[in-house]
């Protein structure tokens, strides 16, 4: 039991500030990512010659659905980063999320460049 307690670090104010600054930055990047995913989906729908009604439905329902997913994910991200801070893995976890977001963003830009 004592060994488990000694592994955890007592977070300091700068570490908390870093955690929540990272969380805010990653959440804003994820919000930007939603709009890029929406644009890429729109370009794909046009490229695959979807019916105009289908394009409009995909566009309108897609943004609502992705917005709800984003909302849930930012709460999960906050908890995951805070736990990473306690386990001394904050930077590794933040870097992992950043890499995933950048890769998906790159894919969205590639789709927009190819089909837009």
């Amino acid at each position: 039991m004592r060994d488990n307690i000694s592994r955890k670090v007592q977070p300091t104010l700068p570490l908390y500030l870093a955690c929540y600054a990272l969380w805010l930055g990653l959440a804003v990047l994820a919000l930007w990512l939603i709009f890029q995913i929406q644009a890429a989906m729109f370009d794909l729908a046009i490229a695959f010659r979807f019916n105009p009604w289908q394009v409009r439905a995909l566009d309108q329902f897609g943004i609502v659905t992705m917005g709800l997913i984003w909302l849930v994910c930012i709460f999960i991200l906050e908890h995951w980063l805070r736990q990473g801070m306690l386990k001394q893995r904050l930077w590794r976890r933040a870097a992992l999320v950043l890499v995933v977001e950048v890769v998906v963003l790159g894919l969205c830009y590639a789709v927009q460049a190819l089909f837009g």
Side-chain angles (χ1 to χ4, degrees):
M1 178 79 177
R2 182 172 288 282
D3 218 11
N4 192 16
I5 293 172
S6 65
R7 283 189 199 162
K8 292 185 178 181
V9 65
Q10 285 295 335
T12 60
L13 182 62
L15 200 53
Y16 273 109
L17 291 175
C19 176
Y20 284 103
L22 286 167
W23 172 73
L24 185 62
L26 291 170
V28 168
L29 183 61
L31 185 62
W32 176 256
L33 184 59
I34 285 175
F35 292 113
Q36 296 308 311
I37 290 172
Q38 179 191 17
M41 285 183 357
F42 185 81
D43 289 343
L44 283 174
I46 297 297
F48 290 131
R49 301 183 191 273
F50 282 12
N51 179 328
W53 289 92
Q54 293 171 327
V55 174
R56 184 173 176 178
L58 181 68
D59 188 42
Q60 291 180 350
F61 289 119
I63 195 70
V64 171
T65 304
M66 287 186 293
L68 290 173
I69 291 169
W70 173 80
L71 187 62
V72 170
C73 286
I74 64 168
F75 288 116
I76 293 170
L77 177 64
E78 187 271 335
H79 176 73
W80 196 55
L81 289 177
R82 196 169 16 90
Q83 292 301 315
M85 178 182 59
L86 295 174
K87 296 176 182 177
Q88 297 179 339
R89 293 187 183 127
L90 173 64
W91 303 109
R92 186 177 308 146
R93 289 183 177 191
L96 177 65
V97 173
L98 180 64
V99 165
V100 169
E101 287 182 351
V102 167
V103 166
V104 174
L105 192 61
L107 290 173
C108 289
Y109 284 139
V111 166
Q112 290 175 17
L114 290 174
F115 297 102

